Amino acid sequence: MREEEIKEYPHKQDPGYEVLEERNLGMKIDYQVENNVISIFYVRAYFDYQIQYYYDGILDDTKTEYGKARYNDIISEYTNNIKKGYKLDSRINYPMTIVDSN
């Protein structure tokens, strides 16, 4: 078993996270246990999102906002794109929590 090279590992990645860094991958097994460590660092992934505006039930694509946020971020602020003569009727999926789309 000594000198066996570790080139891969079972991913234990939670949804919504991505690998930031892998340290010591490709290491060779050593008799000193403290030398036999592979470190995997994860960060929350970024996801695209949209805020859409409907007037009289019809989507107005020109008002759609596009953004990017990290997994589990909460989007609770948006641009007030209400057209003159309209008032806010309802908000769906507000506030919006960013989730893994897979």
Side-chain angles (χ1 to χ4, degrees), residues 8-26:
E8 58 185 3
Y9 59 92
H11 284 274
K12 296 184 180 183
Q13 184 173 334
D14 289 338
Y17 289 80
E18 61 190 16
V19 174
L20 173 67
E21 182 182 352
E22 300 169 329
R23 289 186 190 163
N24 213 17
L25 191 60

Side-chain angles (χ1 to χ4, degrees), residues 61-79:
D61 283 327
T62 66
K63 301 287 186 186
T64 299
E65 295 177 38
Y66 298 90
K68 213 175 213 15
R70 286 190 183 268
Y71 176 70
N72 269 344
D73 279 354
I74 296 173
I75 309 303
S76 60
E77 295 181 13
Y78 57 92
T79 304

Side-chain angles (χ1 to χ4, degrees), residues 35-80:
N35 294 335
N36 297 331
V37 177
I38 296 173
S39 298
I40 312 301
F41 298 86
Y42 296 94
V43 293
R44 293 183 300 148
Y46 278 99
F47 292 92
D48 295 322
Y49 70 88
Q50 296 179 21
I51 298 175
Q52 299 175 327
Y53 295 87
Y54 292 79
Y55 301 92
D56 295 323
I58 299 168
L59 174 64
D60 183 342
D61 283 327
T62 66
K63 301 287 186 186
T64 299
E65 295 177 38
Y66 298 90
K68 213 175 213 15
R70 286 190 183 268
Y71 176 70
N72 269 344
D73 279 354
I74 296 173
I75 309 303
S76 60
E77 295 181 13
Y78 57 92
T79 304
N80 184 354

Side-chain angles (χ1 to χ4, degrees), residues 6 59-60 66 82 88 91:
I6 307 297
L59 174 64
D60 183 342
Y66 298 90
I82 297 176
L88 179 64
R91 294 184 285 202

Side-chain angles (χ1 to χ4, degrees), residues 1-6 27-31 36:
M1 183 171 209
R2 185 168 188 223
E3 296 298 316
E4 177 185 349
E5 187 173 358
I6 307 297
M27 70 170 210
K28 294 192 182 212
I29 299 295
D30 192 281
Y31 284 118
N36 297 331

